[in-house]
Amino acid sequence: MKKADILIIGSGIAGLFFAIKMAKKRPDLFIAIMTKEKVQNSNTQMAQGGIAVVTDHIEDSFEQHIQDTIQSGGGFCDEEIVRMVINQAPERLKELIDIGVSFDKDKSGTWNLGLEGGHSQHRILHHKDISGEEIGKKLIETINQLSNITLFENHLVIDINTKKNKGNPSCTGAFYCDKVNSQIKYIQAKTIVLSTGGCGQLFKNTTNPEIATGDGIAIASRAGALIKDIQYIQFHPTALYEGDKNPFFLVSEAVRGFGAHIINEDKKRFIFKHDTRGELATRDIVSQAISEEMETSGKQHVYLDCRHLDFEEFYTHFPFITNYCQTIGLNPKTDLIPIVPVAHYQCGGINVNKNSETNIKNLYAIGECSRTGLHGKNRLASNSLLEALVFAHQASNHIENSIDDVSFSSKKIMADFSEPLINLYSDNFVELKKELQALMTVLYANKEVDFRKILDKMESMKMKTVSLLFEKQKITTQLVEFTNMLTVAKIVVESNMQQFFEKSPSY
Ligand SMILES: Cc1cc2nc3c(=O)[nH]c(=O)nc-3n(C[C@H](O)[C@H](O)[C@H](O)COP(=O)(O)OP(=O)(O)OC[C@H]3O[C@@H](n4cnc5c(N)ncnc54)[C@H](O)[C@@H]3O)c2cc1C
């Protein structure tokens, strides 16, 4: 049985940045990171636009970034949290730069700041259009140099274990599947940090990679953690339309910030009918406008028009997007790019306070799996990477001061299974997953929704899943992920239902 002072679940920006901060503060602690695939498989690696930070204090100010965030969140942000995150941003940015992350500069040596929807100023630091890849690479390099961090790839965490502590549960360890040896094992931990990312795979049309199955939300809710605002799923307006694709390739919002237009079948711009900011309105508004236009035209997409832009400059900022378009025969200089809104980001999640603590003792959540109060109903572009950095910092400060009062739990726990219990692949879940994704798509299709019918269908999928388990007598990674997807989907439906009937959407 393994033991770690701190177990981090997930290897995106939140988990990795937290690990680095914690390892530097407390070299005496043993820190384990478990991640269910290769370390690079995360939403983080796919981030294009960059990080929103106020660096120009002449044109811009913290207050403007704060107001933009609050406006984007539609009145549902926690202002104290918004202020904390935005005021802290420059310090966290400096820490990224100190470990070698490079952001683009102009010829004059000042930051080349991007503009994105909902931002009143240029304030997005970026590394061309592969900001996430650059950040991920430097974080992983740093992790590899820190001797008190051990990274376990292909370790799928199944559930956390809790014990009752004078009525208040506290977490004591986690069950995981070691995919290399096909075994289920247990790790004891004094503190667990969930940084498992989002749940975009609940939808057929999404920018999120296959790992985004909402595992952390499911694990936390099974353990009794509070899940909040999960009905606020953000749809990104400009995913490249390629028919039946999963995930969809994203065309960054920064492309609109650079001056691209959104046009309809008649080659006319139409977003101004919905918002005076036009293409630079927030994602919820632009996505809604596009959906309505598609409904009217009966077409599967609208277009992004970049043909009027300076192509040389465009290519310097967006080489990745340009090259991808070219692989499917589209040249942004001469061709219209078909685009469609798709599921992109989970604004809610595991409820945490300003120190990233959940309501379960010694269980923290950071990054996209958490609900901090920063985003409200609709996240402002490029505030997500920033949120992950700030809450990783907050958690590291809190744990540094509290972990010495925590001891390993002596409670007897189920022994590790030495027999292989896991089949690595089962195609039984391919159809079930498609069925679930179709249901979730209906839920967000702006039509009248029969919540009861959706929940009944989910219940019958659950029964099928259980019977598959009994039939095969083996747990598969697909079974674990699909069960998590079903759990999260049900919470999302119920939160929508509660909101519909104007009850408080919290668990
Ligand atoms: C295409 C795209 C572009 C984006 N661009 C931007 C941008 O420009 N700016 C911005 O601010 N945001 C952007 N976002 C959002 C942002 O990238 C994510 O919100 C952020 O990276 C989430 O980081 P994270 O560390 O919380 O999770 P992730 O980066 O998703 O990492 C989650 C990790 O948890 C692991 N994991 C999950 N479940 C388990 C389990 N059961 N056991 C073990 N490991 C598990 C995964 O394998 C993964 O390593 C973008 C998102 C996408 C998809």
Side-chain angles (χ1 to χ4, degrees):
M1 190 187 293
K2 283 197 177 85
K3 247 183 179 189
D5 292 301
I6 302 175
L7 170 65
I8 300 166
I9 309 173
S11 60
I13 185 170
L16 297 178
F17 189 69
F18 167 79
I20 293 168
K21 295 216 61 148
M22 202 68 238
K24 286 184 177 170
K25 279 177 203 279
R26 292 289 301 264
D28 58 314
L29 297 178
F30 173 61
I31 300 170
I33 305 175
M34 288 191 180
T35 191
K36 64 180 174 180
E37 296 190 355
K38 288 292 222 192
V39 60
Q40 293 86 358
N41 289 2
S42 64
N43 275 7
T44 297
Q45 292 279 340
M46 304 179 81
Q48 295 179 349
I51 303 190
V53 182
V54 175
T55 52
D56 164 7
H57 292 277
I58 298 168
E59 294 294 325
D60 200 1
S61 64
F62 290 141
E63 195 55 36
Q64 288 182 68
H65 189 183
I66 289 165
Q67 293 312 325
D68 291 347
T69 301
I70 290 173
Q71 200 188 344
S72 181
F76 284 76
C77 299
D78 178 335
E79 187 171 340
E80 191 195 332
I81 294 294
V82 175
R83 290 189 178 278
M84 179 185 90
V85 171
I86 286 161
N87 289 328
Q88 246 192 54
E91 288 165 71
R92 304 291 78 83
L93 173 72
K94 183 174 178 309
E95 285 165 351
L96 274 191
I97 294 168
D98 287 348
I99 61 160
V101 177
S102 111
F103 293 103
D104 292 357
K105 288 189 168 169
D106 289 333
K107 284 190 189 105
S108 61
T110 54
W111 298 120
N112 179 281
L113 299 173
L115 179 64
E116 296 188 358
H119 286 275
S120 54
Q121 297 293 342
H122 285 72
R123 63 169 76 99
I124 319 297
L125 287 111
H126 63 97
H127 183 97
K128 302 194 187 308
D129 51 356
I130 50 165
S131 306
E133 193 182 315
E134 165 69 10
I135 293 168
K137 188 167 150 223
K138 298 295 160 51
L139 289 172
I140 295 165
E141 280 171 15
T142 312
I143 292 275
N144 290 337
Q145 290 159 14
L146 290 161
S147 60
N148 57 332
I149 302 178
T150 305
L151 176 68
F152 299 94
E153 292 184 317
N154 292 308
H155 278 52
L156 169 77
V157 174
I158 299 170
D159 259 323
I160 56 170
N161 187 50
T162 56
K163 73 168 182 194
K164 278 257 169 355
N165 204 351
K166 290 185 196 132
N168 221 358
S170 64
C171 76
T172 54
F175 294 98
Y176 64 95
C177 162
D178 173 348
K179 288 159 76 176
V180 180
N181 301 311
S182 304
Q183 285 174 351
I184 294 177
K185 297 182 179 171
Y186 184 72
I187 179 167
Q188 272 189 305
K190 291 181 181 170
T191 293
I192 296 185
V193 179
L194 288 164
S195 50
T196 47
C199 65
Q201 281 294 321
L202 290 184
F203 300 85
K204 179 176 156 286
N205 295 348
T206 178
T207 57
N208 288 195
E210 289 223 324
I211 51 103
T213 48
D215 296 5
I217 311 273
I219 291 170
S221 77
R222 283 193 291 268
L226 190 73
I227 311 297
K228 228 177 155 186
D229 290 351
I230 194 81
Q231 72 275 29
Y232 300 133
I233 302 286
Q234 179 171 75
F235 284 71
H236 196 295
T238 59
L240 179 64
Y241 178 74
E242 288 185 81
D244 233 4
K245 207 147 196 263
N246 183 316
F248 272 60
F249 181 82
L250 183 74
V251 180
S252 169
E253 187 144 18
V255 172
R256 278 181 284 133
F258 194 83
H261 297 156
I262 295 175
I263 58 174
N264 61 16
E265 274 304 296
D266 300 329
K267 314 290 175 282
K268 298 238 162 44
R269 291 171 78 183
F270 57 90
I271 312 286
F272 282 102
K273 284 190 276 178
H274 300 259
D275 193 290
T276 51
R277 292 168 294 181
E279 282 84 355
L280 287 176
T282 47
R283 287 178 184 170
D284 50 347
I285 294 168
V286 180
S287 291
Q288 180 68 29
I290 294 176
S291 297
E292 285 177 24
E293 195 67 26
M294 284 164 48
E295 182 89 26
T296 311
S297 70
K299 300 282 176 195
Q300 302 287 316
H301 56 75
V302 295
Y303 299 98
L304 197 64
D305 188 357
C306 306
R307 296 172 303 174
H308 55 288
L309 303 172
D310 178 327
F311 190 68
E312 214 172 294
E313 263 189 60
F314 183 90
Y315 188 69
T316 307
H317 192 148
F318 305 110
F320 178 63
I321 294 171
T322 308
N323 292 340
Y324 185 86
C325 287
Q326 286 173 349
T327 62
I328 58 161
L330 290 173
N331 182 349
K333 187 180 174 183
T334 50
D335 298 319
L336 295 176
I337 302 171
I339 48 149
V340 64
V342 303
H344 181 64
Y345 185 80
Q346 156 201 299
C347 298
I350 307 158
N351 197 47
V352 293
N353 64 14
K354 71 176 192 330
N355 295 321
S356 316
E357 289 177 283
T358 69
N359 55 309
I360 296 179
K361 214 162 172 284
N362 308 324
L363 180 67
Y364 295 72
I366 50 177
E368 191 169 336
C369 69
S370 67
R371 181 269 178 203
T372 63
L374 176 68
H375 308 307
K377 277 167 82 164
N378 178 58
R379 165 172 76 94
L380 183 66
S382 287
N383 265 358
S384 164
L385 296 175
L386 175 62
E387 179 192 50
L389 295 177
V390 170
F391 279 85
H393 169 80
Q394 293 295 110
S396 71
N397 277 350
H398 195 263
I399 294 169
E400 179 188 19
N401 297 319
S402 59
I403 196 160
D404 292 331
D405 298 330
V406 186
S407 43
F408 286 109
S409 169
S410 54
K411 190 182 164 199
K412 188 142 178 46
I413 198 81
M414 186 171 70
D416 293 349
F417 293 101
S418 51
E419 287 298 309
L421 257 181
I422 289 272
N423 271 348
L424 283 190
Y425 189 74
S426 149
D427 56 9
N428 287 315
F429 292 99
V430 176
E431 285 312 311
L432 275 173
K433 189 171 163 183
K434 279 190 187 155
E435 213 181 307
L436 179 63
Q437 288 172 331
L439 275 183
M440 293 303 286
T441 305
V442 169
L443 185 67
Y444 283 86
N446 286 329
K447 304 242 165 69
E448 225 170 79
V449 176
D450 185 342
F451 293 112
R452 213 47 278 159
K453 205 166 152 192
I454 294 181
L455 287 172
D456 285 348
K457 285 205 172 150
M458 286 180 178
E459 191 55 32
S460 87
M461 283 184 212
K462 192 172 154 193
M463 297 322 287
K464 269 190 214 162
T465 313
V466 172
S467 68
L468 276 172
L469 175 62
F470 279 112
E471 214 177 281
K472 307 278 174 198
Q473 307 240 318
K474 288 221 178 204
I475 296 171
T476 63
T477 49
Q478 285 75 27
L479 174 89
V480 173
E481 288 184 340
F482 185 71
T483 308
N484 288 337
M485 286 174 71
L486 261 183
T487 305
V488 179
K490 187 164 176 261
I491 303 175
V492 174
V493 176
E494 288 174 347
S495 303
N496 272 289
M497 201 162 105
Q498 280 190 341
Q499 182 177 263
F500 185 79
F501 294 110
E502 292 185 340
K503 288 187 190 144
S504 153
S506 61
Y507 283 74

